[in-house]
Amino acid sequence: MPPHLTFLGWGRPILPAAAAHLVGHYAQGGAADLRGAVVVLPGGRARRRMVELLVEEAAARKLTLVPPEVVTVGAVPDLLHQPALPAADGMVARRAWSRALRDTNLDALKVVFPHLEAGAPLREWDVLAELLAGMHRTLAGEGHRFSDVVRINRTSALFDDSPRWDVLARVEKRYLALLHEAGMADPFDARLAALEEGIRRHEGDVWLVSVAELPAVTRRLLEASGATLHALVQAPAELASSDPAAFDAWGLPVTEHWEAARVPVTDEVLRMVERPVDQADAALSALEDLEGAYTTEDVVMGVHPQSEVVPYLQQRLAARGVGARYAAGTQLMRTAPARLLQAAADFLDGHTYPALAALLRHPDASALLRLGGVEVSGAEALDVADAYFGEHLPYKLEGQLPRGRERGGAGSADGDAHAPDFPSLVHALDSDAALGAFHEKKEKKRKKRLSEWMTDVTRLLEGAYGARELDRSKPDDRHLVDVLGEIRGAALALHRLPGILDEECSGAEALRAVLAGLEGEALPPDPDPTAVELLEWLEIPLDDAPVLVLTGFNEGFVPDSVNGHPFLPDSLCRLLGVLDNRRRLARDAYRLTCVLHSRERVRIIAGRSTAKGDPLRPSRLMFRTDPTALAPRVLRFLEGRDAASPGMDLAALGLEPAEESGFGTPPEPIIELAPHELPTSLSVTAFTRLMDDAYRFVLEDMLGLERVDDDAREMDPMVFGDVAHRALQRFGRMALADPPQVDAADEDAVAEVLVRTLRQEVANRFGRSALPAVQLQAAQLEERLRAFAARQAAWAAQGWQIRAVECKPAGAGWPLDVDGTPMLLKARIDRIDHNPRTGEWAVLDYKTSTKRETPEEAHRRGRGDAKEWKNLQLPLYRHMLDSVVGPAGDPVVPSGGPERAHVRVGYVVLPQDPAECGFLLAEWSEEEMATALDAAREAVRTLRRGRFSVDDAPTWPGEEGWDALRPLLVEGWQASGDADEGDGDAGSGDGAGGEAGGAQRSVAAGGRS
């Protein structure tokens, strides 16, 4: 029989109203004896609150309370029926589903999963197993097995999907058989069996309190139990006779009524803002509007986990000295130990650099390195890895890794002589003391049964966290202990797997199996009566706080919806009686109506976009109002007229104003340097940066602000140019050898040397497993070098001979006199040629940028007489030529130097189009060369003034690209050089203040910055 319905109205929250009704119903003499009653509630949090309210209600009436049994809807079947065999928990069920899939004929499975392969790793089977387990729970709750769906598809569905469901029915049958062989029962199938076989009678009353959803199997079990059924409904009694009816015989909301009913969301309670951060500000503005009439204990905030508002709310409240207690707790999969296991599994799976980088970024990775014998902090390990990646671009970390060039220490990014090199980090992680016990090596396949791996899992966690001293009185330590306990519990469940479900797998698969047991599980937050409670939407109607601030009032959140399910489309759900989107809409419309009627103060906040700027749709429930209000409300959402209150005085709620941040942008608007802090030498190429932006020059070239990361997926301009320079440098030295090892006039010989050197450099630098794009770039560079060989032969045919490569001024640098105090200029000139036929000399610089750029384009800007220097490299090379020496310290040009009219400067360009390779010489007059010296002196004067302001920095509108300093310095500077394959001076570091940064510039600063 259906339950007896009691309508409690909706003038007050349902739980206090239900508690009052129950105590009144059972009050007799001086007691309220509810021991024979079972109270059923939708959620665990409401279950705990109901016990508190019953105690309070009985005390207010001066009655002795004998409490009832309070359970959730999901626990009702277990209350009414105990299967003969022990019920399989989620971990065992997942393993059984995974095994059942692999026991099914692969050709049959491909009807359902066409891309599934026999050798697919265990994790792929486990993902499918979790999908089928969820479908099984959903359908079994409504009394269906997969075979029932086959029948319904054939007889009633718009589209006959029975071939796929027939295969799934076979998998389900095998799953149930496996559990039976293991001596266990599926709890959902056992309930179906109980209905067929009959259940024992339940004596006493069962009270359904505010239950808006009740699975069909649970209803049938309740009817079959013989219990006296009651349902307490939060609604006025007159709705029972509405047309269409608002509630069915069980007190459940009727879809036809509630999907069309008006929801009293008024303009007064509704706010519409832009992003999640604005929703958080609007929520705090709602607290300000309370004007001290309530405390934080009277307030609850509604959130949706996918609306992105939670972290902003927590931050905003924490800034005012108030906690935000997120009732959903912390997802175990988001905790540090679980993430460490996930990162370790990813690394073990492919042994790739991206997986290693993710592992090293974990704050506890240093503990794993320590297990492998390497004492290094996480930040140091990341510096080493990022620097190595920037140089070698590895992908697969297999075989003998290139050692890397010396960087002060053993390959360290910052010159620390004690820092390990990158191969040492990999070796430490691969050692048996760290992850080696899990690593699957070709010569020694590490395959064991899943249960056997659990000893290694617990040993790994002990190694990572066992050395810590933990104090359970500290929240962070207590949470870590609890998380480790949950992981240990999951590992223990796998260790005790029935033999038929215990199978061989790799170490990475074993780690993932443990993590699968944590999916969807959360650690509850610590009790905190002073914190503002954050509840997810489905918990809100059962809360009894007088003030509600509901965020995330958007489609997909409120009302909830499920779209695009691969097996259960909405139309099929409707045929099966499974919860569909119409019922979700009706349910949420009813719940929101209850909330709006039963709370003293309500504020509802909708967002227009996600944190990334993707648009959000307003909730449909926003428009269940007077038709005359629809158009203004739509315009209000689209036009963005709402805004959060900017200044908030929340002292009345116990919220203190946030302290003003000490961080500003830029951190140092003006940088002042004392004379002794100023450089006494500069690289020739540094003048470009100094003249362009002195403020940024000081940050990067003098204070060490740089970018080191592993974002690259190919050789960046610096690396590409450096590789090309090494090949060209090797060719030049071979041409200068005595006797020459290559004829610079022989195109084929030059090409052979260049290509051979390039391939050797790529092999030495990147190894056998570099990123795929590196091999493509190397092939492209080969084409450029072959084209250069032809131009070199033609150049040599004109009489030009190589006289020096990679040369520099003698001593500490070439002195540039500036107001009587010299500035030493440093340089490393790529190449100097001489033509005995004409007596000319040529100072040349290699350029590997994507586009062909002439010396004039690279060095000067403006038109006509208004031209000004922006780059002084080639003019300064010419002025210092007399002092340039070779590797042995001998002058490159004869004593006294050549006549200036006989010195040419220019580029050897190797652009993306090989046809454009060649020698480009500048055509600057003596007067123009002199003005270059004047520009250099003025730049030095700017530097020597010692005061640099961000206000003097230029803005470059219209340029594309991302610059790491943009967020820090506000203005939109761009990284120099092409974003493609080369920037001319890559690899030509000129010494102090030289090519620092380049394409690797960033916000990792040394010095005072």
Side-chain angles (χ1 to χ4, degrees), residues 951-985:
D951 294 332
D952 299 330
T955 57
W956 298 348
E959 294 203 19
E960 297 180 356
W962 181 82
D963 182 355
L965 290 186
R966 183 196 300 271
L968 188 64
L969 304 183
V970 180
E971 300 293 345
W973 292 299
Q974 310 293 331
S976 61
D978 295 307
D980 233 357
E981 299 166 27
D983 81 346
D985 285 325

Side-chain angles (χ1 to χ4, degrees), residues 109-125:
L109 276 181
K110 286 195 172 186
V111 174
V112 186
F113 308 111
H115 301 294
L116 193 60
E117 299 297 334
L122 186 64
R123 67 178 181 274
E124 294 187 15
W125 296 99

Side-chain angles (χ1 to χ4, degrees), residues 41-50 70-73 539 542:
L41 291 159
R45 183 175 182 276
R47 172 177 165 272
R48 293 185 292 272
R49 180 60 177 152
M50 174 58 80
V70 184
V71 300
T72 63
V73 171
E539 298 277 4
L542 297 168

Side-chain angles (χ1 to χ4, degrees), residues 665-671 693-696 699 947-955 968-971 973:
T665 55
E668 291 189 68
I670 296 176
I671 299 175
D693 184 347
Y695 179 86
R696 181 163 178 164
L699 283 177
R947 191 176 191 276
F948 310 92
S949 171
V950 71
D951 294 332
D952 299 330
T955 57
L968 188 64
L969 304 183
V970 180
E971 300 293 345
W973 292 299

